[in-house]
Amino acid sequence: MSIQTETFWTNVLAYVKRQHPAVNRGWFSQLQPGAIEQGRYQIFACDPAQVIYLNRHCSRAFTEAVQAATGRLIGVDFLTSNSSADRNYSAEVLDEDAPSFERDSSVLRLIPDYTFETFVTGPCNRFAHAAALAATESPGTAYNPLFIHGSCGLGKSHLLQAMCHRVLDRSPATRIMYVSCETFVNQFIEAVERGALHSFRNLYRRVDMLVLDDMQFLAGRDGTQEEFFHTFNALHQVNKQIVLSADSPPHQIPSLEERLVSRFKCGLLARIDAPCLETRGAIIRKKLRLRQLQLPEDAIMHIAEFGPSNTRELEGALNRIHGLSVLVNRPIDLPLVREALGGEPQAPTREIKIQDIIHFVTDRFGVKLSDLQGRKRSRSIALPRQVCMYLARQFTRHSLEEIGGFFGGRDHTTVLHANKLVAGRRRSDAALRARLDEIESTLLKGE
């Protein structure tokens, strides 16, 4: 089969999608086939970020596909279709004796999938998403620094890289440094050991946008904190955008100097929470479209309800499901999804119903059911109603709409607001926390 035919290239892409679904991406349709030179098949991508992804994850998949289509031992090379040099992605070869941060600084390692278009927003992350978008509209002036925090796997890195993609799309000449805090620490140590602090400082203090992930790695590193303090000041004073992320807010990072905590707080802190059921479902659908895969709706909702709440682990669950489907040669349906996820979760010893929750809440708060379902908004009625909605989210499988229906036909946004309000007050109000603990214990015991 001639490699110049459209059928040949279609077969290559079909092979990758079928045999290597974990690495398959929708933008593969934008790749352009090239020629064979010295036993290497050239494949052209739209931008260097895609080339980095292809080299890291797809060499084996495309090599197998090309060899299967030609019957010849041919390798593959991934190239950019745009031959113009790009400072953020150039592969300039430096002296091998130069510090690693000088050799690696010319490559901006971004994942092509991590854009604003592929980020799923919900109540858990809408504020952080809006802040990230606003910061890219006018870098260095709106929300500087921007500090995004939340547990691992909830989308912090996705948002940081989406900001880099958006800024580069609008201004390709923008000098961006995007690294993990661990990389920053290691590079600083190497600079000290090799007497290259001047080069290290030039690298980090002459950028237009500094993006550091996982700032919790600064904990307990006094020397690195001192260096970052001065780097932060040098950039902030000339209105260069600084974007940071961590697993916790600045004041909760152990052994972080107070002067750094103060500077991080002078911008905007944006928290990302674990996604709710509806958001998890939307995330799954988005990732399926990205991989050009299809699952029945009942299977999607089963993954959303019983699979991991961590966004990164959700992607791993999809890999397991599709891998099992290929291995046993079965279509993906609800029974296969249950099998891949380890079967149905073990049922609780006692099923808790909304009626049980209402019974205990009305008893402990001294209100009537008609009050909870009515339109009164007085504090003495609103709080018990919100507690009922909160507990229903914790202990039942009802949707937001169904929960709202039990309490006078309220919509899902009211239920989400109640859940967030009660969760926040539970952390700060010892009396309410004790009352909730007692109600929950009684519900579980069935007394």
Side-chain angles (χ1 to χ4, degrees):
M1 180 185 297
S2 170
I3 65 168
Q4 302 300 327
T5 66
E6 183 177 341
T7 302
F8 170 83
W9 181 239
T10 300
N11 290 341
V12 168
L13 293 178
Y15 182 97
V16 173
K17 179 180 179 180
R18 182 176 64 255
Q19 298 297 331
H20 299 274
V23 302
N24 186 62
R25 294 296 183 265
W27 51 264
F28 283 4
S29 61
Q30 303 171 14
L31 299 176
Q32 296 295 322
I36 290 182
E37 292 186 3
Q38 299 180 343
R40 311 286 297 182
Y41 183 48
Q42 296 178 338
I43 300 174
F44 292 93
C46 296
D47 59 61
Q50 292 180 353
V51 171
I52 291 173
Y53 176 85
L54 291 165
N55 279 319
R56 282 185 177 181
H57 305 288
C58 306
S59 290
R60 176 188 167 201
F62 276 91
T63 298
E64 286 182 7
V66 171
Q67 290 180 359
T70 62
R72 297 158 57 187
L73 293 177
I74 298 175
V76 296
D77 288 325
F78 301 109
L79 308 168
T80 54
S81 53
N82 184 0
S83 60
S84 60
D86 186 326
R87 176 259 167 209
N88 284 297
Y89 298 99
S90 66
E92 179 184 357
V93 179
L94 299 175
D95 185 349
E96 291 184 358
D97 293 330
S100 63
F101 56 82
E102 289 186 358
R103 297 196 303 270
D104 297 340
S105 64
S106 60
V107 179
L108 184 60
R109 293 180 171 85
L110 300 178
I111 298 174
D113 297 342
Y114 284 5
T115 65
F116 282 117
E117 289 71 25
T118 61
F119 189 84
V120 177
T121 58
C124 55
N125 58 27
R126 187 169 288 118
F127 179 69
H129 175 264
L133 268 176
T136 62
E137 293 293 332
S138 52
T141 57
Y143 311 135
N144 193 28
L146 174 61
F147 194 107
I148 300 174
H149 63 93
S151 299
C152 62
L154 298 184
K156 301 186 299 296
S157 297
H158 190 146
L159 273 183
L160 265 57
Q161 294 198 35
M163 294 180 68
C164 295
H165 279 298
R166 178 63 60 88
V167 170
L168 287 175
D169 286 344
R170 294 180 174 177
S171 180
T174 304
R175 295 170 297 176
I176 298 178
M177 177 64 73
Y178 168 72
V179 295
S180 68
C181 185
E182 183 181 20
T183 298
F184 180 88
V185 170
N186 292 336
Q187 290 179 351
F188 173 68
I189 293 173
E190 182 186 7
V192 172
E193 292 175 344
R194 303 187 64 162
L197 273 175
H198 180 71
S199 297
F200 177 84
R201 288 166 180 164
N202 279 343
L203 174 64
Y204 278 93
R205 299 184 189 183
R206 293 186 178 182
V207 298
D208 300 312
M209 182 173 173
L210 176 62
V211 185
L212 286 187
D213 211 349
D214 294 324
M215 291 299 292
Q216 66 271 10
F217 280 100
L218 272 185
R221 301 180 183 274
D222 296 341
T224 310
Q225 289 188 34
E226 174 78 19
E227 180 65 27
F228 184 74
F229 171 77
H230 295 295
T231 297
F232 181 99
N233 286 343
L235 293 173
H236 196 263
Q237 288 169 2
V238 292
N239 296 322
K240 301 301 183 182
Q241 180 67 51
I242 301 170
V243 186
L244 311 169
S245 81
D247 289 347
S248 56
H251 62 276
Q252 292 182 10
I253 298 177
S255 307
L256 187 64
E257 292 182 6
E258 187 60 35
R259 59 181 178 173
L260 280 177
V261 173
S262 176
R263 277 160 176 76
F264 295 165
K265 286 184 174 181
C266 77
L268 180 69
L269 303 184
R271 187 179 73 186
I272 297 181
D273 294 317
C276 62
L277 177 64
E278 288 78 6
T279 305
R280 291 199 299 274
I283 291 171
I284 294 168
R285 294 184 189 94
K286 179 80 76 171
K287 290 189 177 296
L288 290 172
R289 287 196 296 271
L290 194 64
R291 297 176 179 211
Q292 297 181 310
L293 297 175
Q294 291 184 342
L295 264 70
E297 186 62 24
D298 60 348
I300 291 175
M301 292 313 299
H302 184 88
I303 300 169
E305 187 168 2
F306 298 117
S309 60
N310 181 305
T311 305
R312 189 176 296 126
E313 292 177 6
L314 272 177
E315 189 162 4
L318 293 178
N319 288 339
R320 291 199 305 275
I321 291 166
H322 195 277
L324 179 62
S325 172
V326 173
L327 182 65
V328 300
N329 193 26
R330 283 168 48 193
I332 299 178
D333 53 16
L334 183 56
L336 186 136
V337 167
R338 287 172 174 163
E339 184 177 344
L341 295 181
E344 286 280 9
Q346 189 174 12
T349 55
R350 176 178 180 272
E351 181 182 359
I352 297 174
K353 301 177 181 180
I354 285 187
Q355 289 82 358
D356 300 323
I357 294 171
I358 292 174
H359 170 75
F360 288 113
V361 171
T362 53
D363 179 66
R364 301 306 192 272
F365 283 85
V367 295
K368 300 177 181 178
L369 173 60
S370 58
D371 292 331
L372 297 182
Q373 295 177 331
R375 311 311 296 179
K376 293 181 181 179
R377 296 185 178 181
S378 62
R379 179 182 175 84
S380 60
I381 300 299
L383 180 59
R385 183 187 295 130
Q386 290 163 345
V387 167
C388 282
M389 295 179 183
Y390 170 81
L391 294 174
R393 284 287 286 162
Q394 308 302 314
F395 291 103
T396 75
R397 296 180 182 178
H398 290 292
S399 67
L400 296 172
E401 290 77 9
E402 289 171 337
I403 294 173
F406 275 93
F407 300 97
R410 288 167 168 84
D411 62 25
H412 70 283
T413 58
T414 302
V415 180
L416 286 172
H417 173 73
N419 193 72
K420 183 177 180 179
L421 186 145
V422 174
R425 285 197 55 182
R426 183 174 193 163
R427 291 190 292 266
S428 59
D429 187 333
L432 178 61
R433 181 165 60 250
R435 186 177 289 187
L436 287 172
D437 289 344
E438 189 269 334
I439 293 174
E440 290 176 350
S441 176
T442 305
L443 281 169
L444 291 171
K445 293 177 181 177
E447 297 176 351

